[in-house]
Amino acid sequence: MKIKSGYPLVGTIVSLFFIGCSLALFLSPYAGSGSEWLAVFMLSMGIFFLLLIDQSYMSIDFDGTSIHLTGFFKIKNIRLKTESILGYEIHQRVDEFNGLHNMLVLVLEKNERVVFPRIAYADYDALELFFKSTFKFLEYKPLKYAAFFKKWVPIVSLISGLLALLVGLQKLL
């Protein structure tokens, strides 16, 4: 069985923005006036986002005896024997894209965990069915104050976006 991850459009755009800005600073005529530190910082942020994407957006290939997890850019490759997997947990999370939702976490020996974020998979239901049919369910970890976060995270995100838009319009005029 093979489950592919989705395409990380937003993360890729952010990463390319930081890398592009750092290259522009390195190649600018003002290079050497203290901007090289900013360019190095922006380049490291771009690389950090690429590594974060590779760790979050993993394709899953299950052959019956082992699971092969491959990162989106194929930097991270993990092969897990089914004996080394203790089971899976469901963690409740809140984010600005999915609101209040459940996230699957694979629990390995030595208390290691592999997280499968909902935003990384277009068909998350297939991933949930795969986990239910293949691994032992260990625990459900609800989010403390979930009702509060479910209500206020989208409102705060909307307000901060509107304020950023107003500041941008004020600077434009």
Side-chain angles (χ1 to χ4, degrees):
M1 172 176 222
K2 189 165 190 145
I3 299 174
K4 288 213 161 260
S5 66
Y7 185 77
L9 182 65
V10 174
T12 304
I13 290 171
V14 169
S15 180
L16 291 176
F17 171 76
F18 279 119
I19 292 172
C21 286
S22 69
L23 290 176
L25 283 172
F26 277 129
L27 300 174
S28 76
Y30 301 107
S33 62
S35 65
E36 58 272 348
W37 290 106
L38 180 62
V40 168
F41 173 73
M42 293 182 89
L43 181 64
S44 64
M45 288 299 294
I47 292 170
F48 170 75
F49 279 113
L50 286 177
L51 293 174
L52 189 66
I53 289 169
D54 193 64
Q55 184 175 354
S56 299
Y57 288 76
M58 291 188 288
S59 295
I60 303 165
D61 191 14
F62 181 66
D63 62 7
T65 59
S66 64
I67 293 179
H68 187 77
L69 304 172
T70 308
F72 188 78
F73 298 113
K74 300 192 180 10
I75 297 170
K76 186 172 186 172
N77 285 318
I78 303 172
R79 183 168 296 278
L80 302 169
K81 299 270 186 203
T82 53
E83 301 89 38
S84 68
I85 300 170
L86 300 176
Y88 74 98
E89 299 174 339
I90 297 177
H91 294 211
Q92 200 173 35
R93 294 287 183 254
V94 173
D95 64 30
E96 63 274 7
F97 301 111
N98 297 311
L100 183 66
H101 65 280
N102 293 329
M103 184 173 61
L104 297 169
V105 178
L106 200 60
V107 180
L108 310 174
E109 291 177 337
K110 299 179 186 172
N111 209 18
E112 295 176 25
R113 287 173 164 64
V114 179
V115 178
F116 296 93
R118 181 172 288 277
I119 196 169
Y121 298 92
D123 192 9
Y124 205 75
D125 294 333
L127 184 64
E128 287 176 338
L129 287 173
F130 169 68
F131 273 45
K132 286 178 184 176
S133 64
T134 310
F135 306 114
K136 177 184 169 189
F137 177 70
L138 298 175
E139 185 178 7
Y140 177 73
K141 294 187 176 181
L143 183 66
K144 198 173 184 181
Y145 309 114
F148 173 78
F149 287 124
K150 181 180 180 180
K151 181 178 180 180
W152 286 100
V153 165
I155 292 171
V156 170
S157 298
L158 179 68
I159 290 171
S160 64
L162 289 173
L163 290 174
L165 179 67
L166 288 174
V167 168
L169 287 174
Q170 182 184 9
K171 287 186 176 190
L172 185 65
L173 300 174

